[in-house]
Amino acid sequence: MFVFSLASYAQQLRFVTVDLPPFHFMGADNKPAGALVEVIEALMIKTQFSAQIEFIPFARSYDLALNNKNIFMLSLMKSSDRKDLFQWVGQIFKSKAFLVGLRNRSDTYISNIEEAKSFVVGTIRGYHSQQHLKKAGFLEQKITIYPLVIHICGVCSLNNE
């Protein structure tokens, strides 16, 4: 409902996001594709508005959505520190964050987040996990920040299952 009422104020809506298959990604024809892209396209047909979908780095997407009107950010995790900063359209999916490591590295097995503090960990610039690691007491030099999403194929388990 939020999309429809806000759309009445805009000629063209702007959606910003990162590559996150299967939800949104650049298709083989170099056009946006994915499940959420299909939802946006259906809404635009129903409301007779046009939309622009841009794939840009997460930190830039977040800044644009935070500081500008009529910009929607796809797949932004709703957290306690973000909930009052945005108008939320709705929940599309749920996700969980995990610390993962190479299975053949038995020296990196951890059973809690405190044990992980002795290792260098990686996250995406601007992601909620970056703030979570800092709040959990990880030292700045132990957090490696990546500017883009690195896709991991397959399923990883902390229990080596």
Side-chain angles (χ1 to χ4, degrees), residues 14-18 52 54 56 61 64-65 71-74:
R14 185 176 177 195
F15 293 84
V16 292
T17 190
V18 296
Q52 174 186 355
E54 295 176 59
I56 57 178
S61 294
L64 283 169
I71 294 183
F72 296 83
M73 186 170 181
L74 299 179

Side-chain angles (χ1 to χ4, degrees), residues 3 7 10-15 40-41 43-53 70 72:
V3 171
Q11 292 296 322
Q12 180 169 349
L13 299 177
R14 185 176 177 195
F15 293 84
I40 292 167
E41 290 170 344
L43 283 170
M44 294 306 101
I45 290 169
K46 187 162 181 81
T47 61
Q48 298 182 358
F49 287 97
S50 61
Q52 174 186 355
I53 301 172
N70 296 330
F72 296 83

Side-chain angles (χ1 to χ4, degrees), residues 5-68:
S5 63
L6 184 59
S8 64
Y9 297 106
Q11 292 296 322
Q12 180 169 349
L13 299 177
R14 185 176 177 195
F15 293 84
V16 292
T17 190
V18 296
D19 191 43
L20 185 63
F23 304 107
H24 31 83
F25 57 94
M26 195 59 73
D29 59 357
N30 211 27
K31 292 183 181 177
L36 291 181
V37 171
E38 292 176 14
V39 170
I40 292 167
E41 290 170 344
L43 283 170
M44 294 306 101
I45 290 169
K46 187 162 181 81
T47 61
Q48 298 182 358
F49 287 97
S50 61
Q52 174 186 355
I53 301 172
E54 295 176 59
F55 291 87
I56 57 178
F58 180 88
R60 193 176 324 151
S61 294
Y62 185 88
D63 186 62
L64 283 169
L66 184 63
N67 296 304
N68 296 280

Side-chain angles (χ1 to χ4, degrees), residues 62 76-86 88 126-129 131-132 135:
Y62 185 88
L76 179 63
M77 184 177 138
K78 187 176 184 179
S79 62
S80 58
D81 55 328
R82 292 178 179 164
K83 69 177 181 165
D84 295 330
L85 298 177
F86 299 96
W88 298 89
Y127 267 35
H128 177 71
S129 54
Q131 285 76 36
H132 181 75
K135 285 180 182 176

